[in-house]
Amino acid sequence: MGYSSVFGKRIKEAVTITKRLTRQQSRQVTREQILRSAAALFAGQGVSGTSVEQIVESAGYTRGAFYGNFEGKHELVLALLEQRTQHELEEIQAMSREAATFEEMLDHLRSWHRRRDENLASWLALRTELWLYGLRDPELLPLLADRERRSRDAIAQSLEQGFAARGVTTPAPVELLALIVHALDDGLSIQRVLFPSDSGTDSVVDVVELLMKSWTALARSTAPAPAAEPAAEPPTEKLEKNP
């Protein structure tokens, strides 16, 4: 086979690979847009109140494009739940890497909560819808539990870093403390939507900061006192005999 034939064959292979990658990328874009449209519709009218036709119409695609990416609405809900979980975890992990101290981590969290507060009502509505969908299907409960466990693990890691920087050990199992912070985040988000004038965008982080100070003080007050050094024995005087 001559050089020109080999070169031509390689060009054809390169073109084929490029086209294949382009189709894969195009499919990924289609999938992301369908998920985005579904999220907006679920937040506004619920999972049960949203049809596949409404999702594809909102996304600007056909039913064929939908079923080319998802077997049905159930699979789409699972994909959306996993996407949101992974996205939030990646954001928290990125903040942990960028923060040199726990105080810097709190500053990053304040900025993160302020961005979320711009669409807090829709964020909470979608979160609640996905939860309700999962709670009504016992087979999905392990998936929901896994989602929450991963979020709590990320919180626990940040708390451990904060205690270590203060030179104290956790006053209780760090898993329990992470559960408290996670539950407070959920509860305060609800209160923020219901009573926006009674709480600010920094309320969650303010509470975490207050808890951290309290837990640190508790850890120091209950830490065992350092063992006292034994008292030095007085020097032994040698008795001289009278001549």
Side-chain angles (χ1 to χ4, degrees), residues 50-93:
T50 302
S51 65
V52 171
E53 287 75 10
Q54 290 173 319
I55 294 172
V56 296
E57 181 180 355
S58 175
Y61 293 102
T62 63
R63 288 173 60 90
F66 179 91
Y67 288 107
N69 286 275
F70 306 99
E71 292 184 1
K73 191 167 68 172
H74 178 76
E75 184 181 337
L76 180 145
V77 173
L78 297 183
L80 188 58
L81 182 62
E82 175 61 27
Q83 182 194 63
R84 286 170 56 83
T85 300
Q86 190 61 33
H87 180 66
E88 290 181 11
L89 286 177
E90 288 174 356
E91 288 186 328
I92 294 175
Q93 290 168 352

Side-chain angles (χ1 to χ4, degrees), residues 28-214:
Q28 185 62 30
V29 170
T30 300
R31 182 182 176 87
E32 291 296 325
Q33 290 179 342
I34 290 175
L35 286 169
R36 191 178 300 113
S37 295
L41 290 169
F42 290 166
Q45 57 196 45
V47 175
S48 300
T50 302
S51 65
V52 171
E53 287 75 10
Q54 290 173 319
I55 294 172
V56 296
E57 181 180 355
S58 175
Y61 293 102
T62 63
R63 288 173 60 90
F66 179 91
Y67 288 107
N69 286 275
F70 306 99
E71 292 184 1
K73 191 167 68 172
H74 178 76
E75 184 181 337
L76 180 145
V77 173
L78 297 183
L80 188 58
L81 182 62
E82 175 61 27
Q83 182 194 63
R84 286 170 56 83
T85 300
Q86 190 61 33
H87 180 66
E88 290 181 11
L89 286 177
E90 288 174 356
E91 288 186 328
I92 294 175
Q93 290 168 352
M95 286 187 283
S96 297
R97 288 193 301 268
E98 294 171 2
T101 65
F102 189 77
E103 285 67 28
E104 286 187 13
M105 178 65 180
L106 291 178
D107 289 338
H108 289 321
L109 281 173
R110 291 184 196 281
S111 299
W112 185 78
H113 277 279
R114 288 168 185 168
R115 292 193 301 270
R116 192 181 73 173
D117 195 72
E118 296 174 0
N119 300 289
L120 183 59
S122 60
W123 176 88
L124 184 60
L126 177 59
R127 175 180 172 85
T128 304
E129 275 298 321
L130 295 176
W131 260 99
L132 289 174
Y133 185 85
L135 291 174
R136 293 184 180 119
D137 186 344
E139 294 182 358
L140 293 183
L141 287 180
L143 294 177
L144 291 176
D146 178 68
R147 178 193 193 283
E148 294 301 299
R149 187 175 295 109
R150 282 187 282 167
S151 297
R152 282 160 40 192
D153 287 346
I155 295 172
Q157 184 178 3
S158 296
L159 290 176
E160 285 182 330
Q161 292 173 349
F163 284 116
R166 287 162 171 75
V168 298
T169 57
T170 59
V174 71
E175 295 81 9
L176 175 61
L177 303 183
L179 174 62
I180 293 171
V181 172
H182 191 47
L184 279 171
D185 188 6
D186 285 342
L188 290 172
S189 296
I190 295 173
Q191 297 301 312
R192 171 70 178 155
V193 172
L194 294 176
F195 308 103
S197 60
D198 295 347
S199 60
T201 56
D202 295 340
S203 57
V204 173
V205 183
D206 288 342
V207 170
V208 172
E209 187 174 21
L210 177 62
L211 285 174
M212 198 64 183
K213 291 179 180 178
S214 301

